[in-house]
Structures are given as structure tokens and as C-alpha cells.
Amino acid sequence: MTLAQQASTQQAGTQQSGTHHADLQGAVVAPTDSAATWWRQAAVYQIYPRSFADANGDGIGDLQGIISRVPYLTELGIDAVWLSPFYPSALADGGYDVADYRDVDPRIGTLEEFDAMVAALHGEGIKVVVDIVPNHSSNDHVWFQEALAAAPGSPARERYIFRDGKGPDGSEPPTDWQSIFGGPAWTRVADGQWYLHLFAPEQPDFNWANPEVRDDFLETLRFWSDRGVDGFRIDVAHALTKDLTDPLPSRAELDSIPRGGGEHPIWDRDDVHEIYAEWRKVFDSYDPPRTAVAEAWVERHRRPRYASAEGLGQAFEFDLLTQAFDAAAFKEVVVDSLALAAESGSSSTWVLSNHDVVRHATRYGLPPLPTGVGSTEQDMKQGAGWVLAGAPEDQLDRSRGERRARAASLFELALPGSAYLYQGEELGLHEVGDIPDEARQDPTFFRNPGVDKGRDGCRVPLPWTRSGSSYGFGDGDAHLPQPDWFADYSVEAESGVPGSTLEMYRTALRLRRELQTEERLEWVATGREDVLAFRRPGGWLTVTNFGAAPFPLPAGEVLVASGPVADGALPGESTAWVRQ
Ligand code: NOJ
Ligand code: CA
């Protein structure tokens, strides 16, 4: 008896689940272990280096800390790590303000330690992806310092975006544009000119019309590729090229220009792909070719170009992350994302948490987001901002959030494509909501007083042990304060404990390697609108119960489940993998 037949017999009278956009989706591609296509279905674990493990006890995570935790990463069963920036930085934006693209922050380590880390990870078959931040540098970058010291109109200023101000004495900014982090997007320098920064003032935007800038990034890509890095995550990949021909539009005019047409003055311009075509040549000059994934908050139909083989090769899909825990919403995202992947020839990318958003265990424990949360950066900020600022902790149902997060993670890990995991999600960690204001570091907090608590809550250093200084993160206090409840979420507390979130991830990641074949799935009717089921080739069936009533699982071996399966019934808000 098929699942559909069984479910409809047992759930007689219930509605058949909503429309099925497609029964069979996806592509047959080269096996995942092929040297050039390892990334297509990889489980990529994001390390936020300052908050992962601190080997020398100064409160800041470091490369030796990562090296010391390679056994943990191996046991977890991930295929690659992606390191958020570890470059020299004044940390105006957690390292996304890079002062030198070809070095390591001395607080984090040295280039020699970087090489040792790559060797240690490669020794375990784990690939290494590093973050490239090409839209802006730090204001400490030697080029920006040169630009400040140079005269208006000089070649040094041409590497960034300087303009004269408005008004009789040029004391008004060139436009009234706002930065993403809040506040004006222009800052004035001593001689009266203004420079553009889409993010913090400490992050001046590069002028990508300048060949020197282009050449310098090609060199950076080669520098890390030569050191054995396997791939790159490209920060704000959709903003590099800009049309800043005078007269510049006002903020209102800018906002009224469609973003999806390729000709917006700033966002997602068609000509940005000329850059990635050049980068692709560099990537492909290595054996195996280096990979890249775009962080591009663009309209859905624009994503395949970033993900194409002529471009970066893969692009983050944040659509799952912006949805409520809801069967129809999840299904729609999966159907659409697989269709987009088929269009680009790339694989899908699944993300539930990263260093910019509220951890999914917490998101799912809060009342639903306002409607209209979509996939643009503005939408995301609106959603995340609401969660952070508008939903008091007393509305948080922690155990429900965790239950749903485990179900969503197991759902995600069964999908065709790559899963991007964020450090700590394998522990079921919650957002830390009550960081004292004086301990906060994120510019989005400082630039939006009283509105946005910022992103520090998902960046609190990991708990490794139940007790001890900084819960095993290091020998001193962590750079962001850790709450008492971290003890129960530590690696020590969860290791070897059947049913813990950590053990669920370990089991799922191990099975995933074993079960994954072609990048496709087949939806299976369940007879319930709040239950989704899909089958991957080889009899790997995933069932997620988004509702409350238990769901009778079909015959087969339950390989792993996010909630207790009793008498063959999958409890509410749970996922099970079944081998049939
Ligand atoms: C996206 C990064 O993920 C985020 O952390 C950073 O603040 C902005 N880009 C600016 O670099
Ligand atoms: Ca340290």
C-alpha cells in the first residue's frame, strides 16, 4: 500500500493536500563525490570564526580553535565549512569591514595557521569556503586611507565613490539615500567631499568601474585559491556595479525604480555579471574548479543568472528562511527553488539560519511573522526586525520553537541540493535575546536605536561544555556574554544523548551521505494539508507533520525522526525519514 493510499484510508474524510505543482522534480547530475561537483549536494557548515572556539583565551574565537575542533566537525558529518570573514578588521561590522583581503586578523591567527587549518580540514575530507566582501572595504583599508590623503578627483579617490555635496558650500550629501544599516548612505570627509557607503560609514563602497578594483579582487581570489581554498561565498553579490551618472536620483526616485529589470542604479544590475564571468575564468583555471555562492537578495527570477555555470555557480535561496513553519509555504518554496535550479543548471541551496537572522529555533517559537514577508533584503529585515524588536521574549515558546526547528532541519537535510547550516543550529540553540545594550556590537543596533536589537543574539560564542569559563569556548570570558541556559545546549550536554538535537544532526548527516543520489524528489500525497511527504530515489521517504495531530507513518524502517515515533505515528511538528 502506498503512503497515499494508506494515508487516505486512515484519514478518510480529510481533504487531499493542496495542489501539486509537480510530481517529479529535479535533475539527474553527476555523482556528488565527483571532484568538480562536490558542492552540489554538500552540507556546508558556517563558522563565524570569532564565536566558534577560542584557543588562547582572549575571548575571541581563532583559527587554532577551529583546528582543535576538527574532530567535532568530522564527527558531525559535514562536507565543507564556510568561514565568515577572518581578515584584519576593526570589527565595525563583525569583520565584514575588511582592512586587508589577503591576510588574517592577528587576533584570529596567522596565514601559517590558516594553511594548517586548511590542511587539517582537508585531511578529514572537509572542503573550505571563505567569504569575499567585494562591495566595500573597511575605512582602514590602505586604499581608503590613500583616498582620504589624496585630493578630490585623484586616482586614489577613483577606487571608491566620492562626490561633491549639494548646497552652496557642499555641506549637504549628494543624495538623501539611506544606508541598509540605517542613517545616511554618504559621509563627509575633511576636504568636504562625500563618499558612498551602502552599509556602515566604516564600509566605503568600491568603484567597480575602476579596473584596478577588478584586478585586485582577481588577485585576492587567486591568493586564496592558491592556498587551497575550495570555494567562496560572495557578500552582497548583487550591488557591485552601480550607475551613478548625474543627476543622481532622490531616495524616493531610487525606491520607485524596479529592482528586477537589471537596470536599477544600484541593485542587481545586469552588468554585475561581467564581473562574475571574469571570476569564473579564475575559478575554472584551478583543478578542481573553485566554487562560489552568491549572497544576492534579488527577485526570484533574477537568481539563476548568479547561480549559472558561467557565473558564480550557486546562489543562496533565503526563501525557506523567510517562511513561517507551514506546509503549503514550505512546499511552494521547494517547488519553486527546484525549478529555479533546473533553470540555472545549479543545485538548490537551503538555509534556515545564518549570522544575519534570528536563529530558527527562536523564530519558530514566536508568533507568526507579519504577512508579506518575501525574499528581498528589505523583506527579510522587516521580518527579522519585527522578531527582534517587536516580539517580546514572553511570547516565545522555546520548546515549540525547538520542536519545529528540528522538524524543519530534518526536512531541509532531505532535500536535493546543498544545505547551509549555521554553527550552533546542530545544538538547537536559541537566539540570545537579552544581551545588555552595553555588550552589543552590531552596527544595526547602534544605528537603529530602540528599533532593531541587531544580530548579536545569533553570534554568541558556542557552548562546548556544561560549565567552566565561557562554557568551553575558551579560557576567558567570551566576547559576547553567554546566558546560563547555554549549559544545557552545550556539545557536552548533548553528545551521546539519544534524541538530542546534536545526535539527530549527526545521524541525519551520516545518512544523508549514504542516501543521496540524484538531485530530485517526488512528492507523495498524504491526504492531509498539514503533512508533506516526498521521496528521493532509492526509497528514501521524508514525512513532515506541520500540524498537531499525529500522522500514521507508512510501512518502512524509520531511520531518524525529530520527535518520538510511537506505534508508527509521527507526532505533530515532526519529521521522519523512512526507508522503504
Ligand atoms: C551581508 C553579511 O552577511 C552581513 O553580515 C553584512 O553585515 C553585510 N553583508 C554587509 O557586508
Ligand atoms: Ca582567541
Side-chain angles (χ1 to χ4, degrees), residues 54 56 58 60 62:
D54 170 23
N56 65 356
D58 67 354
I60 297 171
D62 43 47

Side-chain angles (χ1 to χ4, degrees), residues 231-315:
F232 301 93
R233 177 264 189 192
I234 313 303
D235 190 64
V236 208
H238 56 312
L240 274 47
T241 54
K242 300 176 176 80
D243 177 7
L244 299 176
T245 331
D246 284 320
L248 294 175
S250 68
R251 179 184 180 184
E253 286 163 346
L254 193 67
D255 287 349
S256 69
I257 302 172
R259 282 196 182 202
E263 293 189 351
H264 189 279
I266 292 178
W267 301 109
D268 188 23
R269 295 178 54 73
D270 283 339
D271 52 19
V272 79
H273 296 286
E274 293 164 15
I275 296 172
Y276 301 134
E278 269 191 289
W279 289 17
R280 175 47 55 191
K281 286 189 203 141
V282 174
F283 300 149
D284 287 352
S285 71
Y286 289 87
D287 182 20
R290 301 322 191 216
T291 68
V293 56
E295 188 226 16
W297 291 88
V298 297
E299 291 184 14
R300 302 180 57 80
H301 72 282
R302 304 274 305 167
R303 204 180 295 144
R305 204 156 164 204
Y306 292 87
S308 74
E310 297 75 44
L312 292 172
Q314 216 181 31

Side-chain angles (χ1 to χ4, degrees), residues 239-562:
L240 274 47
T241 54
K242 300 176 176 80
D243 177 7
L244 299 176
T245 331
D246 284 320
L248 294 175
S250 68
R251 179 184 180 184
E253 286 163 346
L254 193 67
D255 287 349
S256 69
I257 302 172
R259 282 196 182 202
E263 293 189 351
H264 189 279
I266 292 178
W267 301 109
D268 188 23
R269 295 178 54 73
D270 283 339
D271 52 19
V272 79
H273 296 286
E274 293 164 15
I275 296 172
Y276 301 134
E278 269 191 289
W279 289 17
R280 175 47 55 191
K281 286 189 203 141
V282 174
F283 300 149
D284 287 352
S285 71
Y286 289 87
D287 182 20
R290 301 322 191 216
T291 68
V293 56
E295 188 226 16
W297 291 88
V298 297
E299 291 184 14
R300 302 180 57 80
H301 72 282
R302 304 274 305 167
R303 204 180 295 144
R305 204 156 164 204
Y306 292 87
S308 74
E310 297 75 44
L312 292 172
Q314 216 181 31
F316 281 135
E317 296 166 25
F318 295 117
D319 309 333
L320 206 54
L321 176 158
T322 51
Q323 301 305 318
F325 184 76
D326 175 82
F330 268 47
K331 180 166 183 187
E332 193 179 329
V333 166
V334 173
V335 169
D336 289 353
S337 296
L338 292 176
L340 286 177
E343 199 182 311
S344 68
S346 185
S347 59
S348 293
T349 58
W350 310 107
V351 185
L352 290 168
S353 278
N354 64 29
H355 65 297
D356 287 332
V357 299
V358 175
R359 285 185 176 279
H360 63 287
T362 302
R363 283 203 316 270
Y364 293 143
L366 288 164
L369 297 175
T371 51
V373 172
S375 61
T376 71
E377 189 159 15
Q378 249 58 36
D379 292 335
M380 188 278 283
K381 273 213 70 82
Q382 188 191 339
W386 180 82
V387 172
L388 285 161
E393 289 241 4
D394 60 12
Q395 287 186 39
L396 173 62
D397 181 339
R398 280 182 184 265
S399 56
R400 178 172 224 203
E402 268 165 66
R403 191 164 61 240
R404 290 172 159 192
R406 288 161 55 101
S409 297
L410 218 45
F411 177 89
E412 173 197 44
L413 288 170
L415 292 169
S418 342
Y420 283 84
L421 312 173
Y422 178 52
Q423 65 177 42
E425 72 167 77
E426 77 279 19
L427 303 171
L429 265 194
H430 276 280
E431 188 83 1
V432 180
D434 54 358
I435 298 173
D437 287 358
E438 59 278 12
R440 288 197 177 268
Q441 301 174 8
D442 184 10
T444 62
F445 167 73
F446 297 109
R447 296 176 69 81
N448 298 281
V451 180
D452 191 340
K453 279 199 209 168
R455 301 163 294 180
D456 294 314
C458 63
R459 300 174 178 182
V460 176
L462 288 192
W464 293 91
T465 51
R466 279 180 198 276
S467 57
S469 62
S470 58
Y471 299 102
F473 167 67
D475 281 339
D477 287 342
H479 69 94
L480 279 167
Q482 300 156 301
D484 294 346
W485 52 262
F486 259 35
D488 295 332
Y489 289 80
S490 61
V491 174
E492 183 186 21
E494 296 193 24
S495 279
V497 176
S500 72
T501 303
L502 178 57
E503 291 303 337
M504 182 193 85
Y505 269 77
R506 283 175 173 162
T507 305
L509 286 163
R510 178 176 52 76
L511 285 166
R512 177 184 155 94
R513 279 190 177 157
E514 192 183 307
L515 297 169
Q516 245 174 7
T517 52
E518 293 142 30
E519 282 170 43
R520 58 188 171 88
L521 60 73
E522 181 189 0
W523 293 102
V524 180
T526 66
R528 263 178 54 181
E529 284 188 354
D530 56 1
V531 179
L532 293 183
F534 59 87
R535 191 180 286 117
R536 300 280 306 271
W540 173 16
L541 178 79
T542 297
V543 185
T544 301
N545 182 356
F546 291 82
F551 180 80
L553 286 170
E557 180 194 358
V558 176
L559 298 171
V560 60
S562 71

